[in-house]
């Protein structure tokens, strides 16, 4: 069995045992890493250096272009002054009103027995509107008529007695004739007095019947039948809706520049169409409580609109064929003096000007500006002598 194992070992290691002991190991050179010329790794530190150098170069280029250490001119928008047609307009708000309206009040106190119209009715002048209870007035009227009747009877008797006495001639004493003549005269005066009482009672009775003072529409009813009324209470309002106008007022600062006949453009609330009109009335006094001057604007053509409707009105105060104007934003105040900044030789130069103070986006220049001047549109924050550059549109 041992021999069998030996045979197997000999088969696995065919090299002779003696040969293994005498063999010389092969001589090879020492192994060294082979460095490739194309794939050599770059040190990480060198990459960061190149990256930093690139950023520095870009930064220097940007700084050289913008030169932040050098003050840059301020970029401004300018407008060249030119002559152009100008219309000066004052915009106000008003309300539709009737040229003729009446607040109907009773002349006497009492209970309202009947109301013969309704809100919105059209009435004619003299039409009966309402009736106040007039029992007491009727009684006074009857009493006055009775007194007049008695006076007339007494007058007839006095006249007849005097006539008979005159017919007797000398058969009656002169004193009797004189007394009867005075009786006739007294009877006539009594008739006149009682007639006046009847007229007075009739007038008082008529005051219990309310009639329309004008033709128009019933705008407002403030009472109901059965209600007690007196002269301090407005029963209803009548207005003539065939003649409408606009009531408004303007600030007292513009009072001296508004006059009758000035043109106006009127636009009713809810409408896109403007209507031509004019100033028809200017009050001669300013309301000290509000500081407003009352105006009435007339329509050139008839208009149908409800009373109280809001109307936007543009009153044409002044028109010029050629004038210099400037935007309100260009106007600045320097050392208590108003003016604008003009661009001259790349700098902002302050130029005092005089303008017409008016509530508008553009102001009319009366002095200080010449045709062709390049003014800075917005002078906020600009100083005289500051370097500026005109914005290229």
């Amino acid at each position: 069995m041992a021999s069998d194992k030996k045979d197997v070992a000999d088969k696995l290691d065919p090299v002779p045992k003696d040969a293994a002991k005498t063999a010389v190991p092969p001589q090879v050179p020492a192994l060294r890493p082979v460095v490739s010329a194309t794939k050599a790794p770059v040190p990480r530190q060198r990459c960061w250096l190149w990256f930093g150098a690139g950023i520095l170069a870009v930064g220097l280029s940007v700084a050289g272009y913008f030169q932040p250490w050098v003050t840059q001119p301020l970029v401004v928008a300018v407008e060249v002054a030119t002559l152009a047609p100008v219309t000066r307009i004052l915009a106000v708000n008003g309300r539709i009103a009737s040229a003729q309206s009446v607040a109907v009040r009773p002349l006497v106190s009492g209970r309202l027995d009947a109301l013969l119209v309704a809100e919105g009715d059209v009435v004619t002048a003299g039409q009966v509107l309402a009736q106040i209870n007039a029992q007491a007035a009727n009684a006074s009227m009857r009493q006055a008529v009775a007194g007049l009747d008695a006076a007339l009877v007494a007058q007839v008797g006095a006249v007849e007695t005097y006539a008979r006495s005159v017919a007797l001639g000398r058969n009656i004493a002169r004193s009797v004739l004189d007394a009867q003549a005075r009786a006739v005269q007294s009877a006539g005066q009594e008739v006149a007095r009682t007639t006046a009482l009847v007229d007075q009672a009739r007038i008082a009775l008529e005051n219990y019947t309310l009639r329309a003072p004008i033709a128009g529409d019933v705008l407002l009813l403030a009472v109901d039948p059965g209600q007690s009324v007196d002269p301090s209470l407005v029963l209803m309002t009548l207005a003539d809706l065939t003649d409408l106008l606009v009531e408004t007022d303007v600030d007292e600062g513009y009072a001296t520049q508004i006059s009758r006949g000035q043109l106006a453009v009127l636009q009713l609330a809810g409408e896109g169409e403007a209507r031509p009109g004019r100033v028809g009335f200017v009050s001669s006094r300013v309301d000290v409580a509000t500081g407003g001057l009352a105006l009435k604007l007339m329509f050139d053509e008839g208009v149908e609109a409800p009373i109280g409707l809001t109307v936007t009105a543009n009153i044409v105060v002044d028109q010029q064929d050629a004038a210099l104007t400037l935007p309100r934003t260009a106007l600045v105040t320097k050392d208590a003096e108003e003016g604008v900044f003009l661009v001259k030789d790349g700098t902002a130069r302050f130029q005092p000007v005089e303008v017409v103070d008016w509530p508008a986006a553009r102001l009319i220049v009366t002095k200080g500006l010449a045709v062709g001047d390049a003014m800075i549109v917005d002078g906020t924050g600009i100083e005289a002598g500051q370097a500026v550059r005109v914005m290229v549109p």
Side-chain angles (χ1 to χ4, degrees):
M1 186 171 184
S3 61
D4 294 338
K5 293 180 177 180
K6 183 177 179 182
D7 294 337
V8 172
D10 292 337
K11 292 178 180 181
L12 293 174
D13 190 8
V15 180
K17 190 174 182 181
D18 295 336
K21 291 180 180 181
T22 60
V24 179
Q27 299 296 319
V28 296
L31 296 177
R32 293 181 181 178
V34 179
V35 180
S36 175
T38 59
K39 296 182 180 181
V42 179
R44 181 180 298 272
Q45 183 177 5
R46 184 176 300 175
C47 292
W48 280 108
L49 290 176
W50 281 107
F51 182 71
I55 292 178
L56 180 60
V58 172
L60 292 176
S61 299
V62 172
Y65 179 79
F66 289 102
Q67 298 181 356
W69 56 87
V70 178
T71 302
Q72 298 296 324
L74 178 66
V75 179
V76 294
V78 300
E79 178 182 312
V80 178
T82 56
L83 291 173
V86 176
T87 301
R88 189 151 51 100
I89 293 176
L90 181 63
V92 295
N93 288 328
R95 294 191 178 276
I96 291 289
S98 173
Q100 187 177 19
S101 62
V102 177
V104 179
R105 300 172 184 266
L107 298 178
V108 295
S109 300
R111 184 182 70 248
L112 189 64
D113 282 350
L115 191 60
L116 305 178
V117 293
E119 191 169 314
D121 286 353
V122 179
V123 299
T124 58
Q127 180 178 335
V128 176
L129 304 176
Q131 181 66 53
I132 300 174
N133 186 279
Q135 291 181 352
N138 281 321
S140 298
M141 181 65 183
R142 291 194 299 270
Q143 183 179 4
V145 170
L148 176 59
D149 290 341
L152 289 172
V153 170
Q155 184 184 35
V156 170
V159 171
E160 290 178 349
T161 300
Y162 179 70
R164 286 193 299 267
S165 298
V166 170
L168 292 174
R170 296 183 178 184
N171 295 325
I172 189 170
R174 185 65 184 179
S175 59
V176 174
L177 285 176
D178 292 342
Q180 290 177 353
R182 288 192 295 270
V184 171
Q185 185 179 10
S186 297
Q189 292 174 347
E190 182 63 17
V191 169
R193 187 183 70 82
T194 54
T195 300
L197 290 176
V198 172
D199 292 340
Q200 184 178 2
R202 182 182 295 112
I203 293 173
L205 182 60
E206 290 177 353
N207 289 338
Y208 287 83
T209 301
L210 274 70
R211 299 179 182 273
I214 63 171
D217 291 46
V218 180
L219 295 184
L220 177 66
L221 279 178
V223 293
D224 294 312
Q227 181 177 341
S228 295
V229 297
D230 58 67
S232 66
L233 179 64
V234 176
L235 304 187
M236 63 190 73
T237 301
L238 303 180
D240 182 6
L241 300 186
T242 62
D243 188 10
L244 299 180
L245 49 81
V246 178
E247 290 183 343
T248 184
D249 58 17
V250 298
D251 187 84
E252 60 183 344
Y254 313 111
T256 58
Q257 304 186 55
I258 303 297
S259 60
R260 294 185 61 179
Q262 289 177 335
L263 299 179
V265 179
L266 310 173
Q267 185 171 0
L268 278 63
E271 289 189 354
E273 177 187 2
R275 302 171 183 266
R278 66 191 186 282
V279 178
F281 168 80
V282 180
S283 177
S284 58
R285 59 181 294 272
V286 173
D287 189 335
V288 296
T290 63
L293 180 72
L295 303 180
K296 290 183 180 179
L297 310 178
M298 310 298 183
F299 292 94
D300 286 350
E301 299 179 355
V303 60
E304 294 184 3
I307 299 295
L309 182 68
T310 300
V311 178
T312 300
N314 290 329
I315 303 173
V316 180
V317 176
D318 183 26
Q319 287 182 317
Q320 299 183 30
D321 294 334
L324 292 175
T325 63
L326 56 82
R328 182 176 288 274
T329 54
L331 191 66
V332 295
T333 301
K334 295 294 182 181
D335 298 327
E337 190 174 26
E338 287 187 330
V340 296
F341 283 105
L342 303 180
V343 177
K344 294 184 178 180
D345 300 329
T347 59
R349 305 287 180 85
F350 182 75
Q351 174 63 43
V353 297
E354 294 180 5
V355 298
V356 178
D357 188 12
W358 200 252
R362 299 192 66 86
L363 304 175
I364 299 175
V365 181
T366 58
K367 184 179 180 182
L369 197 64
V371 175
D373 286 345
M375 62 183 135
I376 299 176
V377 174
D378 188 356
T380 305
I382 298 178
E383 297 295 335
Q386 183 176 354
V388 294
R389 180 164 56 90
V390 177
M391 179 187 299
V392 179

